[in-house]
Amino acid sequence: MTAAGPGTVYLVGAGPGDPELLTLKAAHLLATADVVLHDDLVPAAVLAHAAHALVINVGKRCGRKNISQEQIHAMMIEEARHGLAVIRLKSGDPLVFGRAGEEMDALRAAGIPFEVVPGITAAFAAAAALGRPLTDRRGASSVSFSAGHHAPGSQLEPASLAGATRVIYMPGRDLLPVAEQLRAEGLPGELPCVIVSRAAQPDQQIVRTTLAQLERIASLPAPSILLAGEVLREADDNQLTGIAESVTVSPTNQPQPVQAE
Ligand code: SAH
Protein backbone atom coordinates (compact mmCIF):
# COMPACT_ATOMS: atom_id res chain seq x y z
CA MET A 1 0.00 0.00 0.00
CA THR A 2 1.28 3.44 -0.99
CA ALA A 3 1.22 6.01 1.81
CA ALA A 4 1.41 9.71 0.99
CA GLY A 5 4.89 10.98 1.86
CA PRO A 6 5.60 14.25 3.69
CA GLY A 7 6.56 17.29 1.64
CA THR A 8 5.35 15.68 -1.58
CA VAL A 9 2.54 16.65 -3.95
CA TYR A 10 0.55 13.91 -5.69
CA LEU A 11 -1.39 14.77 -8.85
CA VAL A 12 -4.09 12.15 -8.63
CA GLY A 13 -6.86 11.15 -11.03
CA ALA A 14 -10.25 10.73 -9.37
CA GLY A 15 -11.80 8.96 -12.35
CA PRO A 16 -15.10 9.98 -13.98
CA GLY A 17 -17.29 9.96 -10.88
CA ASP A 18 -18.05 6.37 -9.91
CA PRO A 19 -15.96 5.86 -6.74
CA GLU A 20 -15.38 2.24 -7.76
CA LEU A 21 -13.43 3.54 -10.74
CA LEU A 22 -10.82 5.12 -8.46
CA THR A 23 -7.46 3.32 -8.53
CA LEU A 24 -6.35 1.53 -5.37
CA LYS A 25 -3.29 3.76 -5.32
CA ALA A 26 -5.46 6.88 -5.36
CA ALA A 27 -7.59 5.49 -2.51
CA HIS A 28 -4.50 4.65 -0.45
CA LEU A 29 -2.97 8.08 -1.01
CA LEU A 30 -6.24 9.82 -0.13
CA ALA A 31 -6.49 7.80 3.09
CA THR A 32 -3.03 8.97 4.19
CA ALA A 33 -2.85 12.55 2.87
CA ASP A 34 -2.79 15.65 5.05
CA VAL A 35 -4.36 18.04 2.52
CA VAL A 36 -6.52 17.45 -0.57
CA LEU A 37 -6.99 20.26 -3.10
CA HIS A 38 -9.72 19.18 -5.50
CA ASP A 39 -11.64 20.37 -8.53
CA ASP A 40 -15.40 20.84 -8.74
CA LEU A 41 -16.04 17.66 -10.67
CA VAL A 42 -14.73 15.33 -7.97
CA PRO A 43 -17.76 13.73 -6.25
CA ALA A 44 -18.26 13.48 -2.49
CA ALA A 45 -18.04 9.68 -2.58
CA VAL A 46 -14.44 9.96 -3.79
CA LEU A 47 -13.59 12.67 -1.25
CA ALA A 48 -14.89 10.35 1.47
CA HIS A 49 -11.64 8.36 1.10
CA ALA A 50 -9.76 11.37 2.49
CA ALA A 51 -10.82 10.60 6.02
CA HIS A 52 -8.05 12.47 7.83
CA ALA A 53 -7.18 15.24 5.41
CA LEU A 54 -8.10 18.88 5.22
CA VAL A 55 -10.21 18.91 2.03
CA ILE A 56 -10.31 22.15 0.04
CA ASN A 57 -12.31 22.80 -3.13
CA VAL A 58 -10.13 24.87 -5.44
CA GLY A 59 -12.51 24.47 -8.38
CA LYS A 60 -13.33 27.52 -10.38
CA ARG A 61 -17.07 27.00 -10.61
CA CYS A 62 -18.72 26.34 -7.27
CA GLY A 63 -15.63 26.38 -5.10
CA ARG A 64 -13.71 29.53 -4.29
CA LYS A 65 -14.94 31.59 -7.18
CA ASN A 66 -11.94 33.86 -7.43
CA ILE A 67 -9.14 31.42 -6.92
CA SER A 68 -6.48 31.82 -9.57
CA GLN A 69 -4.20 29.18 -11.00
CA GLU A 70 -1.27 30.94 -9.35
CA GLN A 71 -2.98 30.74 -5.95
CA ILE A 72 -3.41 26.99 -6.41
CA HIS A 73 0.31 26.71 -7.17
CA ALA A 74 1.16 28.77 -4.10
CA MET A 75 -1.07 26.63 -1.84
CA MET A 76 0.47 23.36 -3.04
CA ILE A 77 4.01 24.70 -2.60
CA GLU A 78 3.40 26.21 0.82
CA GLU A 79 1.72 23.09 2.21
CA ALA A 80 4.46 20.81 0.87
CA ARG A 81 7.14 23.11 2.33
CA HIS A 82 5.45 22.70 5.70
CA GLY A 83 6.09 18.97 5.38
CA LEU A 84 2.51 18.00 4.57
CA ALA A 85 1.50 15.24 2.16
CA VAL A 86 -0.57 17.08 -0.46
CA ILE A 87 -2.95 15.63 -3.03
CA ARG A 88 -3.99 17.66 -6.06
CA LEU A 89 -7.09 15.69 -7.01
CA LYS A 90 -8.49 16.10 -10.51
CA SER A 91 -11.42 14.43 -12.22
CA GLY A 92 -10.66 11.70 -14.73
CA ASP A 93 -6.97 11.52 -15.53
CA PRO A 94 -4.93 14.34 -13.98
CA LEU A 95 -2.97 14.98 -17.18
CA VAL A 96 -5.93 15.21 -19.59
CA PHE A 97 -6.79 18.91 -19.87
CA GLY A 98 -7.04 20.73 -16.52
CA ARG A 99 -3.71 22.61 -16.40
CA ALA A 100 -1.54 19.92 -14.81
CA GLY A 101 1.38 21.00 -17.01
CA GLU A 102 1.42 24.44 -15.41
CA GLU A 103 1.11 22.95 -11.93
CA MET A 104 4.03 20.58 -12.48
CA ASP A 105 6.15 23.43 -13.87
CA ALA A 106 5.46 25.45 -10.70
CA LEU A 107 6.35 22.49 -8.48
CA ARG A 108 9.56 21.84 -10.42
CA ALA A 109 10.56 25.49 -10.16
CA ALA A 110 9.96 25.40 -6.40
CA GLY A 111 11.93 22.17 -6.00
CA ILE A 112 8.92 20.26 -4.61
CA PRO A 113 8.88 16.51 -5.35
CA PHE A 114 5.73 15.30 -7.04
CA GLU A 115 4.21 12.14 -8.44
CA VAL A 116 1.41 11.56 -10.96
CA VAL A 117 -1.24 8.89 -10.36
CA PRO A 118 -3.30 8.29 -13.51
CA GLY A 119 -7.07 7.94 -13.55
CA ILE A 120 -9.81 6.86 -15.94
CA THR A 121 -10.46 9.76 -18.26
CA ALA A 122 -14.00 10.78 -19.30
CA ALA A 123 -13.43 9.54 -22.87
CA PHE A 124 -12.94 6.00 -21.63
CA ALA A 125 -15.90 6.18 -19.27
CA ALA A 126 -18.04 7.38 -22.20
CA ALA A 127 -16.77 4.58 -24.46
CA ALA A 128 -17.59 2.04 -21.75
CA ALA A 129 -21.08 3.54 -21.33
CA LEU A 130 -21.64 3.19 -25.08
CA GLY A 131 -20.02 -0.23 -25.31
CA ARG A 132 -18.04 1.05 -28.30
CA PRO A 133 -14.28 0.69 -28.85
CA LEU A 134 -13.04 4.14 -29.92
CA THR A 135 -10.31 2.39 -31.91
CA ASP A 136 -12.51 -0.24 -33.59
CA ARG A 137 -10.38 -0.98 -36.63
CA ARG A 138 -13.46 -1.29 -38.82
CA GLY A 139 -14.20 2.42 -38.34
CA ALA A 140 -11.16 4.24 -36.95
CA SER A 141 -7.40 4.19 -37.13
CA SER A 142 -6.83 6.77 -34.40
CA VAL A 143 -8.51 8.74 -31.63
CA SER A 144 -8.20 12.44 -30.95
CA PHE A 145 -8.92 14.24 -27.68
CA SER A 146 -9.64 17.93 -28.11
CA ALA A 147 -11.15 20.76 -26.10
CA GLY A 148 -14.42 22.35 -27.21
CA HIS A 149 -14.48 25.54 -29.17
CA HIS A 150 -15.49 27.69 -26.19
CA ALA A 151 -12.62 26.62 -23.92
CA PRO A 152 -10.36 29.63 -23.29
CA GLY A 153 -7.05 29.41 -25.10
CA SER A 154 -7.99 26.35 -27.10
CA GLN A 155 -9.48 25.59 -30.47
CA LEU A 156 -10.20 22.55 -32.54
CA GLU A 157 -7.34 22.17 -34.93
CA PRO A 158 -8.43 21.53 -38.50
CA ALA A 159 -5.84 18.78 -38.58
CA SER A 160 -6.06 15.97 -41.08
CA LEU A 161 -7.81 13.48 -38.87
CA ALA A 162 -9.51 11.33 -41.46
CA GLY A 163 -10.36 8.03 -39.87
CA ALA A 164 -10.08 9.35 -36.32
CA THR A 165 -12.70 9.01 -33.64
CA ARG A 166 -13.08 12.52 -32.17
CA VAL A 167 -13.57 12.98 -28.45
CA ILE A 168 -14.34 16.57 -27.53
CA TYR A 169 -14.06 17.52 -23.88
CA MET A 170 -15.88 20.65 -22.65
CA PRO A 171 -18.11 20.81 -25.73
CA GLY A 172 -20.06 23.75 -24.26
CA ARG A 173 -23.78 24.24 -23.79
CA ASP A 174 -24.25 25.47 -27.33
CA LEU A 175 -23.02 22.79 -29.72
CA LEU A 176 -23.21 24.99 -32.82
CA PRO A 177 -19.54 26.16 -32.78
CA VAL A 178 -18.26 22.61 -32.42
CA ALA A 179 -20.64 21.38 -35.15
CA GLU A 180 -19.49 24.18 -37.46
CA GLN A 181 -15.86 23.35 -36.83
CA LEU A 182 -16.34 19.66 -37.55
CA ARG A 183 -18.26 20.48 -40.75
CA ALA A 184 -15.51 22.93 -41.77
CA GLU A 185 -13.10 20.01 -41.55
CA GLY A 186 -15.19 18.31 -44.20
CA LEU A 187 -16.81 15.70 -42.02
CA PRO A 188 -20.11 14.44 -43.45
CA GLY A 189 -23.52 15.42 -42.08
CA GLU A 190 -24.42 11.80 -41.44
CA LEU A 191 -21.41 11.23 -39.20
CA PRO A 192 -22.64 9.64 -35.94
CA CYS A 193 -22.26 11.88 -32.87
CA VAL A 194 -22.98 10.96 -29.28
CA ILE A 195 -23.14 13.16 -26.21
CA VAL A 196 -22.60 11.42 -22.89
CA SER A 197 -23.65 13.46 -19.89
CA ARG A 198 -22.29 12.48 -16.47
CA ALA A 199 -20.63 9.29 -17.68
CA ALA A 200 -20.20 6.60 -15.00
CA GLN A 201 -22.57 8.43 -12.67
CA PRO A 202 -26.02 7.21 -11.60
CA ASP A 203 -27.78 9.87 -13.70
CA GLN A 204 -25.74 9.26 -16.84
CA GLN A 205 -27.52 10.19 -20.08
CA ILE A 206 -26.69 9.37 -23.67
CA VAL A 207 -27.95 11.30 -26.69
CA ARG A 208 -27.24 9.91 -30.14
CA THR A 209 -27.47 12.10 -33.21
CA THR A 210 -25.65 13.02 -36.41
CA LEU A 211 -23.31 15.89 -37.22
CA ALA A 212 -26.08 17.53 -39.28
CA GLN A 213 -28.41 17.53 -36.25
CA LEU A 214 -25.84 18.19 -33.53
CA GLU A 215 -26.53 21.88 -32.95
CA ARG A 216 -30.21 21.10 -32.27
CA ILE A 217 -29.41 19.06 -29.17
CA ALA A 218 -30.43 20.88 -26.00
CA SER A 219 -27.76 21.09 -23.35
CA LEU A 220 -27.52 18.19 -20.95
CA PRO A 221 -26.45 18.20 -17.29
CA ALA A 222 -22.72 18.90 -16.90
CA PRO A 223 -20.21 17.46 -17.27
CA SER A 224 -20.78 16.11 -20.74
CA ILE A 225 -18.52 14.93 -23.50
CA LEU A 226 -19.03 14.69 -27.26
CA LEU A 227 -17.88 11.79 -29.40
CA ALA A 228 -17.98 11.76 -33.20
CA GLY A 229 -16.95 9.00 -35.56
CA GLU A 230 -17.88 6.05 -37.69
CA VAL A 231 -17.23 3.64 -34.80
CA LEU A 232 -20.38 5.05 -33.18
CA ARG A 233 -22.64 4.12 -36.10
CA GLU A 234 -25.56 1.83 -35.32
CA ALA A 235 -27.91 -0.04 -37.61
CA ASP A 236 -30.76 2.46 -37.19
CA ASP A 237 -28.66 5.62 -37.53
CA ASN A 238 -30.61 6.97 -40.52
CA GLN A 239 -33.53 7.52 -38.12
CA LEU A 240 -31.60 9.60 -35.62
CA THR A 241 -32.94 12.85 -34.24
CA GLY A 242 -31.33 13.01 -30.82
CA ILE A 243 -32.99 10.64 -28.41
CA ALA A 244 -31.99 10.82 -24.77
CA GLU A 245 -31.38 7.51 -23.16
CA SER A 246 -31.17 7.62 -19.39
CA VAL A 247 -29.19 4.83 -17.89
CA THR A 248 -28.35 3.75 -14.42
CA VAL A 249 -24.92 2.52 -13.50
CA SER A 250 -25.21 -0.80 -11.72
CA PRO A 251 -22.72 -1.83 -9.00
CA THR A 252 -20.76 -3.72 -11.64
CA ASN A 253 -20.69 -0.52 -13.72
CA GLN A 254 -22.65 -2.03 -16.56
CA PRO A 255 -25.08 0.65 -17.77
CA GLN A 256 -28.60 -0.62 -18.18
CA PRO A 257 -31.29 1.29 -20.08
CA VAL A 258 -34.15 2.20 -17.77
CA GLN A 259 -36.16 4.53 -19.94
CA ALA A 260 -36.19 6.19 -23.31
CA GLU A 261 -37.53 9.73 -23.48
N1 SAH B 1 -9.15 15.43 -16.47
C1 SAH B 1 -10.52 15.18 -16.89
C2 SAH B 1 -11.00 16.23 -17.88
C3 SAH B 1 -11.07 17.63 -17.31
S1 SAH B 1 -11.80 18.79 -18.41
C4 SAH B 1 -10.63 13.76 -17.49
O1 SAH B 1 -9.60 13.13 -17.74
O2 SAH B 1 -11.74 13.29 -17.68
C5 SAH B 1 -13.49 18.69 -17.90
C6 SAH B 1 -14.32 18.03 -18.97
O3 SAH B 1 -14.18 16.61 -18.88
C7 SAH B 1 -15.81 18.26 -18.84
O4 SAH B 1 -16.21 19.49 -19.40
C8 SAH B 1 -16.36 17.09 -19.65
O5 SAH B 1 -16.27 17.35 -21.04
C9 SAH B 1 -15.38 16.00 -19.30
N2 SAH B 1 -15.88 15.13 -18.22
C10 SAH B 1 -15.32 14.94 -17.02
N3 SAH B 1 -16.02 14.02 -16.31
C11 SAH B 1 -17.04 13.61 -17.10
C12 SAH B 1 -18.10 12.68 -16.96
N4 SAH B 1 -18.27 11.95 -15.84
N5 SAH B 1 -18.96 12.54 -18.00
C13 SAH B 1 -18.82 13.23 -19.13
N6 SAH B 1 -17.83 14.13 -19.32
C14 SAH B 1 -16.95 14.32 -18.33
Side-chain angles (χ1 to χ4, degrees):
M1 165 170 164
T2 313
T8 305
V9 174
Y10 298 84
L11 287 100
V12 176
D18 177 351
E20 300 218 339
L21 293 178
L22 196 62
T23 62
L24 288 174
K25 189 163 190 172
H28 293 155
L29 288 170
L30 283 167
T32 52
D34 298 310
V35 185
V36 176
L37 306 175
H38 70 93
D39 287 343
D40 295 316
L41 292 178
V42 177
V46 169
L47 296 173
H49 285 273
H52 308 293
L54 172 64
V55 176
I56 305 171
N57 183 350
V58 294
K60 298 186 180 61
R61 262 156 292 193
C62 37
R64 300 173 170 208
K65 287 217 164 38
N66 299 317
I67 197 154
S68 68
Q69 192 60 38
E70 289 65 33
Q71 283 173 295
I72 296 174
H73 300 169
M75 283 167 87
M76 290 193 297
I77 291 166
E78 194 187 322
E79 286 155 358
R81 282 196 174 137
H82 278 98
L84 300 176
V86 182
I87 292 190
R88 179 72 180 97
L89 188 62
K90 292 167 177 282
S91 71
D93 182 273
L95 304 188
V96 176
F97 300 114
R99 302 193 175 198
E102 290 149 70
E103 294 179 10
M104 289 188 289
D105 284 350
L107 293 169
R108 261 186 221 107
I112 305 287
F114 63 85
E115 192 182 322
V116 179
V117 179
I120 295 176
T121 191
F124 298 152
L130 298 168
R132 287 296 165 128
L134 302 181
T135 55
D136 190 325
R137 64 183 192 151
R138 295 164 296 182
S141 54
S142 61
V143 177
S144 78
F145 290 176
S146 52
H149 189 82
H150 78 299
S154 74
Q155 53 183 319
L156 292 174
E157 288 290 329
S160 79
L161 286 169
T165 301
R166 314 297 181 91
V167 181
I168 297 158
Y169 287 70
M170 300 169 275
R173 296 179 75 79
D174 175 9
L175 295 172
L176 179 62
V178 170
E180 280 176 343
Q181 182 66 57
L182 293 174
R183 280 200 299 262
E185 289 178 43
L187 293 172
E190 73 275 13
L191 187 74
C193 293
V194 182
I195 299 129
V196 182
S197 156
R198 305 181 63 78
Q201 300 193 21
D203 53 352
Q204 168 181 287
Q205 283 186 68
I206 295 168
V207 175
R208 303 182 59 244
T209 185
T210 59
L211 180 52
Q213 304 280 332
L214 184 60
E215 67 223 41
R216 297 173 54 185
I217 303 298
S219 88
L220 292 164
S224 69
I225 194 162
L226 168 65
L227 295 91
E230 285 300 329
V231 297
L232 304 164
R233 190 177 293 283
E234 296 202 339
D236 58 352
D237 268 2
N238 52 359
Q239 320 268 326
L240 282 180
T241 50
I243 312 284
E245 209 184 294
S246 298
V247 298
T248 53
V249 180
S250 73
T252 56
N253 195 37
Q254 292 304 309
Q256 294 159 1
V258 291
Q259 66 180 77
E261 284 164 14

PDB file of all heavy atoms in Angstrom, residues 176-197:
ATOM      1  N   LEU A 176     -23.363  24.466 -31.465  1.00  0.00           N
ATOM      2  CA  LEU A 176     -23.207  24.993 -32.823  1.00  0.00           C
ATOM      3  C   LEU A 176     -21.741  25.241 -33.211  1.00  0.00           C
ATOM      4  O   LEU A 176     -21.317  24.804 -34.280  1.00  0.00           O
ATOM      5  CB  LEU A 176     -24.052  26.267 -32.998  1.00  0.00           C
ATOM      6  CG  LEU A 176     -23.942  26.931 -34.375  1.00  0.00           C
ATOM      7  CD1 LEU A 176     -24.432  25.990 -35.469  1.00  0.00           C
ATOM      8  CD2 LEU A 176     -24.730  28.243 -34.406  1.00  0.00           C
ATOM      9  N   PRO A 177     -20.928  25.910 -32.352  1.00  0.00           N
ATOM     10  CA  PRO A 177     -19.540  26.160 -32.782  1.00  0.00           C
ATOM     11  C   PRO A 177     -18.757  24.872 -33.050  1.00  0.00           C
ATOM     12  O   PRO A 177     -17.990  24.807 -34.015  1.00  0.00           O
ATOM     13  CB  PRO A 177     -18.929  26.927 -31.598  1.00  0.00           C
ATOM     14  CG  PRO A 177     -20.078  27.504 -30.860  1.00  0.00           C
ATOM     15  CD  PRO A 177     -21.221  26.548 -31.056  1.00  0.00           C
ATOM     16  N   VAL A 178     -18.976  23.871 -32.215  1.00  0.00           N
ATOM     17  CA  VAL A 178     -18.265  22.607 -32.424  1.00  0.00           C
ATOM     18  C   VAL A 178     -18.758  21.951 -33.714  1.00  0.00           C
ATOM     19  O   VAL A 178     -17.964  21.460 -34.521  1.00  0.00           O
ATOM     20  CB  VAL A 178     -18.483  21.654 -31.221  1.00  0.00           C
ATOM     21  CG1 VAL A 178     -17.964  20.257 -31.541  1.00  0.00           C
ATOM     22  CG2 VAL A 178     -17.762  22.179 -29.988  1.00  0.00           C
ATOM     23  N   ALA A 179     -20.076  21.982 -33.930  1.00  0.00           N
ATOM     24  CA  ALA A 179     -20.644  21.378 -35.150  1.00  0.00           C
ATOM     25  C   ALA A 179     -20.088  22.087 -36.382  1.00  0.00           C
ATOM     26  O   ALA A 179     -19.702  21.439 -37.365  1.00  0.00           O
ATOM     27  CB  ALA A 179     -22.169  21.468 -35.105  1.00  0.00           C
ATOM     28  N   GLU A 180     -20.015  23.408 -36.313  1.00  0.00           N
ATOM     29  CA  GLU A 180     -19.488  24.176 -37.462  1.00  0.00           C
ATOM     30  C   GLU A 180     -18.035  23.814 -37.733  1.00  0.00           C
ATOM     31  O   GLU A 180     -17.623  23.673 -38.882  1.00  0.00           O
ATOM     32  CB  GLU A 180     -19.588  25.686 -37.183  1.00  0.00           C
ATOM     33  CG  GLU A 180     -20.991  26.204 -37.424  1.00  0.00           C
ATOM     34  CD  GLU A 180     -21.123  27.685 -37.050  1.00  0.00           C
ATOM     35  OE1 GLU A 180     -20.240  28.205 -36.330  1.00  0.00           O
ATOM     36  OE2 GLU A 180     -22.118  28.293 -37.483  1.00  0.00           O
ATOM     37  N   GLN A 181     -17.276  23.676 -36.667  1.00  0.00           N
ATOM     38  CA  GLN A 181     -15.858  23.352 -36.834  1.00  0.00           C
ATOM     39  C   GLN A 181     -15.686  21.972 -37.473  1.00  0.00           C
ATOM     40  O   GLN A 181     -14.889  21.794 -38.390  1.00  0.00           O
ATOM     41  CB  GLN A 181     -15.155  23.400 -35.469  1.00  0.00           C
ATOM     42  CG  GLN A 181     -13.676  23.126 -35.514  1.00  0.00           C
ATOM     43  CD  GLN A 181     -12.889  24.200 -36.249  1.00  0.00           C
ATOM     44  OE1 GLN A 181     -12.960  25.377 -35.891  1.00  0.00           O
ATOM     45  NE2 GLN A 181     -12.172  23.803 -37.284  1.00  0.00           N
ATOM     46  N   LEU A 182     -16.462  21.013 -36.993  1.00  0.00           N
ATOM     47  CA  LEU A 182     -16.343  19.659 -37.554  1.00  0.00           C
ATOM     48  C   LEU A 182     -16.772  19.647 -39.018  1.00  0.00           C
ATOM     49  O   LEU A 182     -16.146  18.990 -39.853  1.00  0.00           O
ATOM     50  CB  LEU A 182     -17.177  18.662 -36.731  1.00  0.00           C
ATOM     51  CG  LEU A 182     -16.684  18.408 -35.293  1.00  0.00           C
ATOM     52  CD1 LEU A 182     -17.665  17.524 -34.538  1.00  0.00           C
ATOM     53  CD2 LEU A 182     -15.293  17.781 -35.281  1.00  0.00           C
ATOM     54  N   ARG A 183     -17.818  20.417 -39.338  1.00  0.00           N
ATOM     55  CA  ARG A 183     -18.259  20.483 -40.749  1.00  0.00           C
ATOM     56  C   ARG A 183     -17.200  21.169 -41.610  1.00  0.00           C
ATOM     57  O   ARG A 183     -16.952  20.766 -42.744  1.00  0.00           O
ATOM     58  CB  ARG A 183     -19.598  21.209 -40.855  1.00  0.00           C
ATOM     59  CG  ARG A 183     -20.776  20.300 -40.488  1.00  0.00           C
ATOM     60  CD  ARG A 183     -22.073  20.841 -41.052  1.00  0.00           C
ATOM     61  NE  ARG A 183     -22.378  22.152 -40.512  1.00  0.00           N
ATOM     62  CZ  ARG A 183     -23.213  22.378 -39.498  1.00  0.00           C
ATOM     63  NH1 ARG A 183     -23.861  21.377 -38.936  1.00  0.00           N
ATOM     64  NH2 ARG A 183     -23.433  23.582 -39.076  1.00  0.00           N
ATOM     65  N   ALA A 184     -16.551  22.214 -41.022  1.00  0.00           N
ATOM     66  CA  ALA A 184     -15.506  22.926 -41.771  1.00  0.00           C
ATOM     67  C   ALA A 184     -14.329  22.010 -42.088  1.00  0.00           C
ATOM     68  O   ALA A 184     -13.585  22.243 -43.029  1.00  0.00           O
ATOM     69  CB  ALA A 184     -15.023  24.144 -40.972  1.00  0.00           C
ATOM     70  N   GLU A 185     -14.164  20.980 -41.293  1.00  0.00           N
ATOM     71  CA  GLU A 185     -13.099  20.007 -41.552  1.00  0.00           C
ATOM     72  C   GLU A 185     -13.506  19.011 -42.634  1.00  0.00           C
ATOM     73  O   GLU A 185     -12.751  18.105 -42.953  1.00  0.00           O
ATOM     74  CB  GLU A 185     -12.757  19.247 -40.277  1.00  0.00           C
ATOM     75  CG  GLU A 185     -12.048  20.078 -39.251  1.00  0.00           C
ATOM     76  CD  GLU A 185     -11.777  19.301 -37.977  1.00  0.00           C
ATOM     77  OE1 GLU A 185     -11.363  18.134 -38.060  1.00  0.00           O
ATOM     78  OE2 GLU A 185     -12.026  19.860 -36.904  1.00  0.00           O
ATOM     79  N   GLY A 186     -14.750  19.163 -43.103  1.00  0.00           N
ATOM     80  CA  GLY A 186     -15.189  18.314 -44.197  1.00  0.00           C
ATOM     81  C   GLY A 186     -15.840  17.021 -43.748  1.00  0.00           C
ATOM     82  O   GLY A 186     -16.051  16.113 -44.568  1.00  0.00           O
ATOM     83  N   LEU A 187     -16.177  16.933 -42.475  1.00  0.00           N
ATOM     84  CA  LEU A 187     -16.815  15.698 -42.015  1.00  0.00           C
ATOM     85  C   LEU A 187     -18.269  15.675 -42.488  1.00  0.00           C
ATOM     86  O   LEU A 187     -18.941  16.714 -42.531  1.00  0.00           O
ATOM     87  CB  LEU A 187     -16.733  15.596 -40.486  1.00  0.00           C
ATOM     88  CG  LEU A 187     -15.303  15.422 -39.961  1.00  0.00           C
ATOM     89  CD1 LEU A 187     -15.261  15.516 -38.445  1.00  0.00           C
ATOM     90  CD2 LEU A 187     -14.729  14.079 -40.425  1.00  0.00           C
ATOM     91  N   PRO A 188     -18.784  14.508 -42.846  1.00  0.00           N
ATOM     92  CA  PRO A 188     -20.115  14.440 -43.447  1.00  0.00           C
ATOM     93  C   PRO A 188     -21.251  14.628 -42.441  1.00  0.00           C
ATOM     94  O   PRO A 188     -21.110  14.305 -41.265  1.00  0.00           O
ATOM     95  CB  PRO A 188     -20.149  13.010 -44.014  1.00  0.00           C
ATOM     96  CG  PRO A 188     -19.173  12.239 -43.193  1.00  0.00           C
ATOM     97  CD  PRO A 188     -18.117  13.208 -42.757  1.00  0.00           C
ATOM     98  N   GLY A 189     -22.348  15.159 -42.926  1.00  0.00           N
ATOM     99  CA  GLY A 189     -23.518  15.424 -42.080  1.00  0.00           C
ATOM    100  C   GLY A 189     -24.062  14.179 -41.408  1.00  0.00           C
ATOM    101  O   GLY A 189     -24.612  14.242 -40.317  1.00  0.00           O
ATOM    102  N   GLU A 190     -23.865  13.033 -42.048  1.00  0.00           N
ATOM    103  CA  GLU A 190     -24.420  11.802 -41.445  1.00  0.00           C
ATOM    104  C   GLU A 190     -23.476  11.142 -40.445  1.00  0.00           C
ATOM    105  O   GLU A 190     -23.761  10.067 -39.920  1.00  0.00           O
ATOM    106  CB  GLU A 190     -24.847  10.801 -42.533  1.00  0.00           C
ATOM    107  CG  GLU A 190     -23.734  10.095 -43.268  1.00  0.00           C
ATOM    108  CD  GLU A 190     -23.177  10.894 -44.459  1.00  0.00           C
ATOM    109  OE1 GLU A 190     -23.486  12.112 -44.589  1.00  0.00           O
ATOM    110  OE2 GLU A 190     -22.446  10.290 -45.251  1.00  0.00           O
ATOM    111  N   LEU A 191     -22.355  11.815 -40.159  1.00  0.00           N
ATOM    112  CA  LEU A 191     -21.407  11.232 -39.203  1.00  0.00           C
ATOM    113  C   LEU A 191     -22.083  11.038 -37.840  1.00  0.00           C
ATOM    114  O   LEU A 191     -22.655  11.974 -37.286  1.00  0.00           O
ATOM    115  CB  LEU A 191     -20.196  12.154 -39.025  1.00  0.00           C
ATOM    116  CG  LEU A 191     -19.056  11.567 -38.180  1.00  0.00           C
ATOM    117  CD1 LEU A 191     -18.297  10.509 -38.975  1.00  0.00           C
ATOM    118  CD2 LEU A 191     -18.109  12.665 -37.712  1.00  0.00           C
ATOM    119  N   PRO A 192     -22.025   9.841 -37.258  1.00  0.00           N
ATOM    120  CA  PRO A 192     -22.641   9.639 -35.943  1.00  0.00           C
ATOM    121  C   PRO A 192     -21.943  10.453 -34.853  1.00  0.00           C
ATOM    122  O   PRO A 192     -20.722  10.522 -34.804  1.00  0.00           O
ATOM    123  CB  PRO A 192     -22.442   8.127 -35.693  1.00  0.00           C
ATOM    124  CG  PRO A 192     -22.185   7.525 -37.031  1.00  0.00           C
ATOM    125  CD  PRO A 192     -21.496   8.589 -37.827  1.00  0.00           C
ATOM    126  N   CYS A 193     -22.762  11.105 -34.016  1.00  0.00           N
ATOM    127  CA  CYS A 193     -22.261  11.877 -32.873  1.00  0.00           C
ATOM    128  C   CYS A 193     -23.016  11.418 -31.631  1.00  0.00           C
ATOM    129  O   CYS A 193     -24.218  11.147 -31.695  1.00  0.00           O
ATOM    130  CB  CYS A 193     -22.518  13.373 -33.059  1.00  0.00           C
ATOM    131  SG  CYS A 193     -21.571  14.100 -34.410  1.00  0.00           S
ATOM    132  N   VAL A 194     -22.331  11.362 -30.531  1.00  0.00           N
ATOM    133  CA  VAL A 194     -22.978  10.962 -29.277  1.00  0.00           C
ATOM    134  C   VAL A 194     -22.531  11.917 -28.182  1.00  0.00           C
ATOM    135  O   VAL A 194     -21.339  12.226 -28.074  1.00  0.00           O
ATOM    136  CB  VAL A 194     -22.588   9.511 -28.874  1.00  0.00           C
ATOM    137  CG1 VAL A 194     -23.315   9.107 -27.599  1.00  0.00           C
ATOM    138  CG2 VAL A 194     -22.901   8.529 -29.990  1.00  0.00           C
ATOM    139  N   ILE A 195     -23.483  12.371 -27.386  1.00  0.00           N
ATOM    140  CA  ILE A 195     -23.139  13.163 -26.210  1.00  0.00           C
ATOM    141  C   ILE A 195     -23.400  12.286 -24.994  1.00  0.00           C
ATOM    142  O   ILE A 195     -24.491  11.707 -24.874  1.00  0.00           O
ATOM    143  CB  ILE A 195     -23.990  14.443 -26.121  1.00  0.00           C
ATOM    144  CG1 ILE A 195     -23.727  15.297 -27.367  1.00  0.00           C
ATOM    145  CG2 ILE A 195     -23.666  15.250 -24.870  1.00  0.00           C
ATOM    146  CD1 ILE A 195     -24.967  15.709 -28.036  1.00  0.00           C
ATOM    147  N   VAL A 196     -22.404  12.171 -24.138  1.00  0.00           N
ATOM    148  CA  VAL A 196     -22.598  11.419 -22.892  1.00  0.00           C
ATOM    149  C   VAL A 196     -22.497  12.416 -21.751  1.00  0.00           C
ATOM    150  O   VAL A 196     -21.476  13.078 -21.563  1.00  0.00           O
ATOM    151  CB  VAL A 196     -21.555  10.287 -22.724  1.00  0.00           C
ATOM    152  CG1 VAL A 196     -21.836   9.503 -21.441  1.00  0.00           C
ATOM    153  CG2 VAL A 196     -21.578   9.348 -23.932  1.00  0.00           C
ATOM    154  N   SER A 197     -23.603  12.548 -21.035  1.00  0.00           N
ATOM    155  CA  SER A 197     -23.652  13.459 -19.893  1.00  0.00           C
ATOM    156  C   SER A 197     -23.445  12.644 -18.627  1.00  0.00           C
ATOM    157  O   SER A 197     -24.048  11.588 -18.452  1.00  0.00           O
ATOM    158  CB  SER A 197     -25.027  14.141 -19.891  1.00  0.00           C
ATOM    159  OG  SER A 197     -25.391  14.606 -18.620  1.00  0.00           O
TER     160      SER A 197
END
